[in-house]
Amino acid sequence: MNLGHCRFCGTQLRYTFVDLGVSPLANSYLTTCQLQQEASLYPLHAYVCEHCFLVQLEEFASAECIFKHYAYFSSYSDTWLQHARSYADMVVERFGLDEHSQVIEIASNDGYLLQYFVAKGMHVLGIEPAANVAETALQKGIRTVVQFFGEAMARQLIANGAQADLLIGNNVLAHVPQLNDFVKGMKIVLRPRGVITLEFPHLMRLMAENQFDTIYHEHFSYFSLITVDKILTEHGLTVFDVEELSTHGGSLRIYARHAEDPSKPISRRVTELRAREESVGFACLAHYLSFADTVQETKRQILDFLVQVKQQGKSIVGYGAPAKGNALLNYCGIHPDTLSYTVDRSPHKQGRFLPGTHIPIYHPEHIRLTSPDYLLILPWNLKDEIMEQMAYIRQWGGQFVVFIPEVRSYS
Ligand SMILES: [Zn+2]
């Protein structure tokens, strides 16, 4: 077998983090006509680099193909908008930004975040590769360039006189295939005293909470603080602060500056989290290699549970059609003969089918009509909210189930 190389340090990848088999792209929901066509399957095999401990997938489906027509609009989520607004208030206050400041956001989506800086009278620039999403930002009057970010683009920005006092990258680092090119670009476009903030899912939480279903093709890399620090250091940047956030099942927000900038000392939170990661084992290969067993054991538990439900003649259906649900259902080989259907509030998904498993997606009202015995919550991060919304299934004795971190039902 032809082995790949680490996207950061170039070491040959020899160690499996977890192998989830082959799977179609998680966001490619199918129409009835498309059911007849064989969807492309790509390996979901995550490796860990023995040298820098970057956990990563190889790029089988190109980033162009995944992100050029991205269907996710950040502004549809109220909680995400709230998160964006309080971030903007905090960062302006903390770093004393004013109307002379230049704010640049990479993967600025529909302007969900930059709109709050515009409201404060600052200069903003969004960089967003998905033209359809960027169009929405432009309509809101948010300056946006439709392009992938990297060294070449950073040089172009500099040539046009744009340099960032604040450079933001939320949920983009994991999506970048050319990681070194991307970080090199950040170094170039940052003003001498500027600040970078990056948010990404925290590998420590992924492992501790068994969130293996967040491993799918859009996410090329999975970061601990230890590894992200190595990557930024290599490119002349220094992580000087870090926050742990509850978003996306547990994320980090890191603050970085030029290595040459003495004005921002490294906070205790950085040394404290590094020490915590080391004490769990994130600086040792063995820790990473233990994850695959946990995932396989979870798969056996899930299948056991489903066999029992079926043998008792009971029905189980899904709630939600998130990308992570697709990853889980494909890995476990769960089809409509087991999970008859799922529902989703998004009209763009209703009437379609989940990729790979061909489970139909209906309007949530379908649950009231069919009174299932079990409702499997696929977006486990929204479990409490969904259990509240769907509390009426208890009228007929229905129970809620989640599979992550382990099989658990709630009557
Ligand atoms: Zn490496």
Side-chain angles (χ1 to χ4, degrees):
M1 192 185 149
N2 184 21
L3 293 170
H5 293 83
C6 174
R7 103 167 10 100
F8 166 55
C9 76
T11 303
Q12 195 172 64
L13 297 169
R14 299 189 294 159
Y15 293 97
T16 292
F17 179 64
V18 67
D19 183 357
L20 301 175
V22 293
S23 188
L25 295 183
N27 274 319
S28 49
Y29 300 93
L30 308 172
T31 61
T32 312
C33 306
Q34 289 167 331
L35 280 181
Q36 311 308 325
Q37 299 159 5
E38 199 60 47
S40 302
L41 299 175
Y42 303 93
L44 261 185
H45 190 151
Y47 290 89
V48 55
C49 172
E50 64 198 275
H51 183 67
C52 71
F53 303 125
L54 180 64
V55 170
Q56 54 200 294
L57 290 179
E58 286 182 75
E59 186 193 5
F60 286 103
S62 79
E64 304 268 329
C65 160
I66 298 176
F67 298 113
K68 278 274 178 187
H69 306 282
Y70 208 45
Y72 188 77
F73 288 79
S74 298
S75 294
Y76 280 154
S77 162
D78 291 342
T79 41
W80 193 240
L81 284 177
Q82 188 46 50
H83 178 75
R85 180 199 286 266
S86 43
Y87 163 81
D89 290 344
M90 176 278 294
V91 84
V92 165
E93 163 89 27
R94 176 168 175 185
F95 298 107
L97 302 176
D98 58 27
E99 63 275 15
H100 304 294
S101 305
Q102 171 77 60
V103 180
I104 300 182
E105 186 185 16
I106 309 170
S108 51
N109 201 274
D110 56 9
Y112 74 101
L113 174 58
L114 286 178
Q115 62 183 341
Y116 299 116
F117 292 98
V118 171
K120 293 174 194 294
M122 295 174 186
H123 305 281
V124 306
L125 176 66
I127 301 167
E128 171 56 53
N132 59 330
V133 180
E135 183 54 37
T136 313
L138 286 164
Q139 281 165 11
K140 286 189 236 172
I142 294 163
R143 243 176 93 213
T144 306
V145 188
V146 181
Q147 211 167 324
F148 279 99
F149 182 78
E151 186 184 354
M153 188 186 179
R155 295 203 182 282
Q156 210 179 305
L157 289 172
I158 293 290
N160 296 331
Q163 237 187 334
D165 296 294
L166 175 65
L167 179 59
I168 309 166
N170 286 341
N171 296 298
V172 59
L173 202 61
H175 295 186
V176 173
Q178 310 294 339
L179 195 53
N180 287 315
D181 181 62
F182 185 91
V183 180
K184 208 180 273 179
M186 290 200 303
K187 170 83 181 170
I188 291 170
V189 89
L190 188 68
R191 282 232 165 95
R193 291 288 170 104
V195 173
I196 296 172
T197 74
L198 299 172
E199 291 180 27
F200 49 85
H202 190 190
L203 182 60
M204 186 164 85
R205 295 285 296 273
L206 186 156
M207 288 184 71
E209 287 152 47
N210 197 19
Q211 301 164 354
F212 67 86
D213 58 345
T214 62
I215 298 174
Y216 50 88
H217 301 106
E218 279 177 22
H219 301 151
F220 298 123
S221 310
Y222 304 81
F223 303 96
S224 63
L225 175 64
I226 291 176
T227 299
V228 95
D229 191 35
K230 266 186 208 158
I231 297 169
L232 267 63
T233 301
E234 176 70 25
H235 292 280
L237 297 165
T238 299
V239 177
F240 68 91
D241 200 5
V242 62
E243 286 172 75
E244 292 174 84
L245 310 173
S246 63
T247 46
H248 296 284
S251 296
L252 292 185
R253 176 189 289 151
I254 59 153
Y255 296 75
R257 55 160 166 84
H258 286 290
E260 305 82 2
D261 174 4
S263 67
K264 303 168 195 75
I266 297 173
S267 85
R268 245 187 36 208
R269 294 196 284 196
V270 175
T271 36
E272 187 275 327
L273 182 56
R274 267 184 82 88
R276 195 143 41 92
E277 285 187 349
E278 277 168 17
S279 74
V280 184
F282 280 87
C284 301
L285 186 61
H287 177 60
Y288 298 87
L289 302 185
S290 68
F291 188 58
D293 285 343
T294 312
V295 173
Q296 285 163 21
E297 173 54 25
T298 310
K299 178 176 179 173
R300 286 190 291 270
Q301 280 180 15
I302 290 171
L303 295 179
D304 272 356
F305 172 80
L306 290 170
V307 166
Q308 280 179 39
V309 166
K310 288 293 162 182
Q311 280 176 344
Q312 290 163 4
K314 294 191 168 164
S315 55
I316 177 164
V317 305
Y319 187 99
K324 55 175 164 289
N326 288 327
L328 180 128
L329 296 168
N330 273 294
Y331 170 59
C332 294
I334 299 167
H335 294 101
D337 56 350
T338 308
L339 194 74
S340 337
Y341 66 84
T342 190
V343 299
D344 200 281
R345 288 165 92 181
S346 162
H348 303 291
K349 294 180 183 172
Q350 292 163 10
R352 296 192 174 230
F353 298 83
L354 300 183
T357 59
H358 295 186
I359 292 169
I361 310 166
Y362 298 131
H363 187 280
E365 201 49 33
H366 208 71
I367 288 173
R368 215 186 280 276
L369 301 175
T370 58
S371 318
D373 298 304
Y374 291 98
L375 186 59
L376 167 63
I377 299 173
L378 291 166
W380 41 258
N381 49 322
L382 308 175
K383 178 184 62 132
D384 295 337
E385 192 181 319
I386 292 168
M387 281 174 58
E388 207 177 293
Q389 251 171 52
M390 302 301 293
Y392 65 78
I393 72 165
R394 296 200 170 98
Q395 291 164 11
W396 61 78
Q399 295 185 39
F400 296 97
V401 190
V402 289
F403 285 168
I404 303 289
E406 58 189 356
V407 178
R408 228 176 269 164
S409 57
Y410 304 80
S411 46

